[in-house]
Amino acid sequence: MSTRIVEIRQNVLNKNDLLAHQLRDRFTAAGAFTVNLVSSPGSGKTAFLQRTLTELLAQGTRVAALVGDLETDNDARRLAASGAPVRQINTHGRCHLEAEMIESHLAGWDPADFDFLFIENVGNLVCPSSYDLGESLRVVMLSVTEGEDKPLKYPGIFHSADLAVITKHDLAAACELDRAALLTNLEAVCPGRPVLFTSARTGEGFPEWLALLAERRAGRDPGTIAS
Amino acid sequence: MSTRIVEIRQNVLNKNDLLAHQLRDRFTAAGAFTVNLVSSPGSGKTAFLQRTLTELLAQGTRVAALVGDLETDNDARRLAASGAPVRQINTHGRCHLEAEMIESHLAGWDPADFDFLFIENVGNLVCPSSYDLGESLRVVMLSVTEGEDKPLKYPGIFHSADLAVITKHDLAAACELDRAALLTNLEAVCPGRPVLFTSARTGEGFPEWLALLAERRAGRDPGTIAS
């Protein structure tokens, strides 16, 4: 890229970061713990979030979600089935969410009404890593069907995340998952960060996930989970 | 995005398109039919390409491959096991391949030595759609594990492709694939284009794929395959 393009991109990122900091302050003051879910298309973000919303609502926890896609409101409709307030953000070709999209789609919502606000990013293992959305927790998700080498091939987004969630673990045998290789690769790129093995179909890993959310919201660090 | 950014992006794309046209002319004159494989990370591009190279080499067809990733040369090493000449392109954070990367990585190769040149793009269902690499055939790949709705959610890249290849079809039952829904969604976004159901593990769909490549290289259109 030319120097001029790099400079302009840097300005866009600086503007985004500034707004993201303001959003994070607003969420923190309101007590709304905000989680940004990033992954490839088809890693199972929506199924994972749908089960998360349903289980949190069943506990009496107040939750809401914003969901990004280039087109369609399929995911918002799927997530709204949980009973939580959900809004779709269509990026119309943009490959990531930005802080200003979050701000504009909060209109009419009071963050103080939510214990947790989940943001499901556009499916993309590259571009969303550069855009802070004001979240307090960034979760990178990877399905067992995608291959153990993905952390090494997309180090930026894995390194930017606070936590890795492995999805579709019920398919591990069918995909001949090499769990040790996956953990080694994750540890190489994001050392010491928690890894959760989950399945939205069977519920595996959800007790640990919900416990981690509660700990993080309370300001405690539950440390590494998988080994 | 601001008008200024849109303008600069347009200049980058125009420059890319110009070089891509030159590359296509060069490939066509040399008889090297060039194929650009695009998909999400983890859809199985490398496994599919590895089997393709191996089967074509066994037929006595002359093949080569360029493979793009942000980091690592894992894929080049996997593909080189086929015996074909293979070069890795590391984009170091860039979310797509560009024509100038193709040109620079061809150095020392004579396209006239190849019947087919395969380019495996960076795993990303958004950004690669805007960058012509001088290919004669663009193939969008989607694994059965990713969900039937992906063509509707990422219409740009599906619309830009000449052909859709469904991968990991051996996992269709485990993933409860809704084949009719997938075909309906593909038809909505890229009407009339061929769809191939494949498995690099079992070899399903490869006879049809190799026949299609031969037909396209010969300048004939084999039409729709799946229904």
Side-chain angles (χ1 to χ4, degrees):
Chain A
M1 279 185 285
S2 75
T3 310
R4 198 167 153 221
I5 293 177
V6 170
E7 274 171 19
I8 290 184
R9 183 161 181 274
Q10 200 53 53
N11 288 343
V12 171
L13 287 174
N14 290 347
K15 193 180 150 202
N16 184 81
D17 279 354
L18 190 68
L19 181 55
H21 281 289
Q22 292 168 357
L23 284 174
R24 188 160 24 250
D25 289 346
R26 187 173 155 202
F27 294 143
T28 304
F33 190 82
T34 301
V35 180
N36 180 5
L37 303 175
V38 297
S39 83
S40 296
S43 294
K45 287 183 295 304
T46 311
F48 179 85
L49 183 50
Q50 189 171 6
R51 186 166 189 136
T52 300
L53 296 174
T54 301
E55 295 205 6
L56 286 172
L57 284 168
Q59 294 177 356
T61 305
R62 302 167 309 155
V63 295
L66 297 173
V67 52
D69 275 300
L70 275 69
E71 306 292 344
T72 83
D73 63 351
N74 293 359
D75 286 358
R77 284 188 282 110
R78 281 172 67 190
L79 293 173
S82 67
V86 178
R87 285 179 178 170
Q88 180 78 47
I89 305 175
N90 279 145
T91 65
H92 303 300
R94 205 86 65 92
C95 52
H96 57 270
L97 291 179
E98 298 182 11
E100 67 179 8
M101 301 176 193
I102 304 303
E103 186 187 40
S104 66
H105 284 79
L106 288 172
W109 277 2
D110 181 354
D113 290 339
F114 309 126
D115 300 313
F116 291 98
L117 172 65
F118 294 93
I119 303 170
E120 180 183 332
N121 219 308
V122 175
N124 186 327
L125 267 188
V126 187
C127 313
S129 69
S130 305
Y131 292 85
D132 185 355
L133 303 181
E135 71 267 23
S136 290
L137 187 75
R138 185 179 293 184
V139 180
V140 63
M141 309 182 71
L142 178 69
S143 78
V144 297
T145 69
E146 292 174 64
E148 298 82 0
D149 60 347
K150 292 300 166 296
L152 303 180
K153 292 168 74 176
Y154 300 86
I157 202 155
F158 281 90
H159 186 72
S160 82
D162 302 296
L163 168 73
V165 165
I166 312 303
T167 57
K168 307 190 190 181
H169 198 223
D170 54 295
L171 296 176
C175 298
E176 300 171 13
L177 174 72
D178 184 339
R179 179 189 173 101
L182 176 57
L183 289 172
T184 299
N185 294 341
L186 284 166
E187 186 63 19
V189 176
C190 33
R193 261 161 278 181
V195 181
L196 282 174
F197 286 82
T198 70
S199 165
R201 205 187 257 176
T202 68
E204 179 189 350
F206 275 74
E208 294 81 0
W209 162 239
L210 299 185
L212 184 145
L213 283 177
E215 295 273 351
R216 291 293 175 107
R217 184 168 185 273
R220 295 185 298 272
D221 184 347
T224 304
I225 291 170
S227 61
Chain B
M1 281 187 283
S2 75
T3 310
R4 198 166 153 221
I5 295 177
V6 169
E7 273 171 17
I8 290 184
R9 183 159 183 274
Q10 198 54 52
N11 288 343
V12 171
L13 287 174
N14 289 347
K15 191 181 150 200
N16 184 81
D17 278 355
L18 191 67
L19 181 55
H21 281 289
Q22 293 168 356
L23 284 173
R24 188 159 26 249
D25 288 347
R26 187 173 155 201
F27 294 143
T28 304
F33 189 82
T34 301
V35 181
N36 179 5
L37 303 176
V38 297
S39 83
S40 294
S43 294
K45 288 186 294 304
T46 311
F48 179 85
L49 182 50
Q50 189 170 6
R51 187 165 190 137
T52 300
L53 295 175
T54 302
E55 296 205 5
L56 285 172
L57 284 169
Q59 293 178 357
T61 305
R62 302 168 309 155
V63 294
L66 297 173
V67 52
D69 275 302
L70 273 70
E71 306 292 345
T72 84
D73 63 351
N74 293 0
D75 286 359
R77 284 188 283 111
R78 282 173 66 189
L79 293 173
S82 67
V86 178
R87 286 179 178 168
Q88 180 78 48
I89 305 174
N90 278 145
T91 65
H92 303 299
R94 208 86 65 91
C95 53
H96 57 270
L97 291 178
E98 297 183 11
E100 67 178 9
M101 302 178 193
I102 303 305
E103 187 187 39
S104 65
H105 284 79
L106 288 172
W109 277 1
D110 181 353
D113 290 339
F114 309 126
D115 300 314
F116 291 97
L117 172 64
F118 294 92
I119 303 169
E120 181 183 331
N121 219 309
V122 175
N124 186 326
L125 267 189
V126 187
C127 314
S129 68
S130 305
Y131 292 85
D132 184 356
L133 303 180
E135 73 268 22
S136 289
L137 186 74
R138 184 177 294 183
V139 180
V140 63
M141 308 182 71
L142 178 71
S143 78
V144 298
T145 70
E146 293 174 62
E148 299 82 0
D149 60 345
K150 292 300 166 293
L152 303 180
K153 291 169 74 176
Y154 301 86
I157 203 154
F158 281 89
H159 186 74
S160 81
D162 302 297
L163 168 71
V165 164
I166 311 304
T167 57
K168 308 190 190 181
H169 198 222
D170 54 295
L171 295 176
C175 299
E176 300 170 11
L177 175 73
D178 184 341
R179 180 188 173 102
L182 176 58
L183 288 171
T184 299
N185 294 341
L186 284 166
E187 186 63 21
V189 175
C190 33
R193 262 162 278 181
V195 180
L196 281 173
F197 286 82
T198 71
S199 165
R201 205 187 257 176
T202 68
E204 179 190 349
F206 275 76
E208 296 80 0
W209 162 238
L210 298 185
L212 183 145
L213 283 177
E215 295 272 352
R216 289 294 174 106
R217 184 167 184 274
R220 294 187 299 271
D221 182 348
T224 303
I225 290 169
S227 61

